[in-house]
Amino acid sequence: MEESEKSSLLGKARERLMEVGDEVSRLTTEATQAVEEGVVAAGMLARCGRAATEDLIDDAAHHIQDEPLRSVAMGPAIGFGVGALAGWLATRNARE
């Protein structure tokens, strides 16, 4: 190979390496931005979830204060219903 061909190939290789380096830099920047956007979105979702949970707790507390007897009666009623369902499912599975 001649010197001019070698230098031409080296020049092309350098140009390609520069292009690849620029592309890697661009992709790194895009990935960093995507991660930052994901962190911001997760934080917003956590804040919204926390606010919704606090609202639910406040609503439940107000309901219990407004209707204490009904609230207390619901506990055993729900427990009985869940127990009956569990017993029915257990005997149903045992028969099959």
Side-chain angles (χ1 to χ4, degrees):
M1 244 191 218
E2 292 182 24
E3 282 296 317
S4 63
E5 288 180 24
K6 287 181 183 179
S7 64
S8 173
L9 286 175
L10 285 175
K12 288 179 183 178
R14 282 188 193 118
E15 288 177 17
R16 185 63 186 140
L17 282 174
M18 294 294 285
E19 291 172 6
V20 169
D22 292 342
E23 185 71 14
V24 167
S25 176
R26 185 185 64 80
L27 291 174
T28 302
T29 303
E30 287 180 11
T32 301
Q33 289 174 347
V35 168
E36 289 174 359
E37 289 172 4
V39 168
V40 169
M44 288 175 51
L45 184 62
R47 282 190 295 278
C48 289
R50 183 178 297 130
T53 302
E54 289 173 356
D55 289 345
L56 183 64
I57 290 170
D58 289 343
D59 289 346
H62 286 15
H63 180 75
I64 290 170
Q65 288 175 354
D66 292 342
E67 299 183 38
L69 291 176
R70 185 174 175 200
S71 299
V72 170
M74 283 184 123
I78 292 171
F80 178 77
V82 170
L85 179 64
W88 178 72
L89 288 174
T91 58
R92 182 175 154 238
N93 288 338
R95 283 186 240 155
E96 290 178 359

